Amino acid sequence: MLQQNTTKRIGYWLLHLHQLFDAATARALAGENLSRRQWQVLHAISIGLHTVADIDVAFAPFLAVDRARSYRAVVEEFNARGWTVVNGGTIALTEAGEAAHTRAEALVNSHAATSLAGISEDEFLAANDVLARIARNMENK
């Protein structure tokens, strides 16, 4: 039996980590006026997700948690900040958006270094792999 007789099983740790990541990332990005989700959308645009539909698919589990139908409003806010432009449904970062991403990424990387202290890259990748396999097992039920 993989699970011990405890109330703090994998579901507990996943939810607890999710809450901690949201709060800690919000604190780390407060000076940039970004939430964790806004950061994720900004980063997604920077690495090649160029439509709202692509962003929504990539972050579908977060849509459910956020009780949202789409992250279109986040992209519209970035447009209002001058960080993105949308042309024919294709989203691109502006120079100001690229600068905002660079600033935010430095903060997130610093936060990650603290959060992941004492965890090797191999351990991190192994944990990610295990979680992905559990998810696949549950999706296939």
Side-chain angles (χ1 to χ4, degrees):
M1 182 74 144
L2 291 176
Q3 296 200 38
Q4 297 175 2
N5 187 15
T6 178
T7 58
K8 294 182 179 178
R9 295 181 181 180
I10 196 164
Y12 169 88
W13 292 114
L14 292 173
L15 182 56
H16 187 56
L17 278 171
H18 173 74
Q19 292 167 334
L20 290 170
F21 269 113
D22 274 351
T25 305
R27 284 191 304 274
L29 294 170
E32 294 297 322
N33 195 27
L34 286 171
S35 68
R36 178 180 179 204
R37 206 73 66 236
Q38 289 170 319
W39 154 251
Q40 289 170 317
V41 171
L42 182 65
H43 186 65
I45 295 166
S46 79
I47 62 169
L49 278 76
H50 295 297
T51 68
V52 170
D54 289 342
I55 292 166
D56 289 346
V57 167
F59 296 114
F62 291 113
L63 283 170
V65 168
D66 293 340
R67 295 186 175 150
R69 296 184 64 137
S70 174
Y71 288 117
R72 181 173 304 283
V74 173
V75 173
E76 290 170 354
E77 182 176 336
F78 291 163
N79 279 340
R81 292 184 191 195
W83 289 1
T84 58
V85 292
V86 179
N87 185 4
T90 300
I91 307 162
L93 291 178
T94 63
E95 190 173 308
E98 289 176 12
H101 177 265
T102 298
R103 291 189 308 272
E105 187 171 41
L107 295 168
V108 168
N109 287 343
S110 176
H111 159 62
T114 302
S115 300
L116 301 173
I119 299 167
S120 72
E121 183 175 0
D122 286 344
E123 289 172 318
F124 179 81
L125 293 174
N128 216 39
D129 179 62
V130 166
L131 293 173
R133 284 186 282 148
I134 291 170
R136 281 192 300 277
N137 291 343
M138 294 181 79
E139 290 167 349
N140 293 328
K141 277 192 164 189

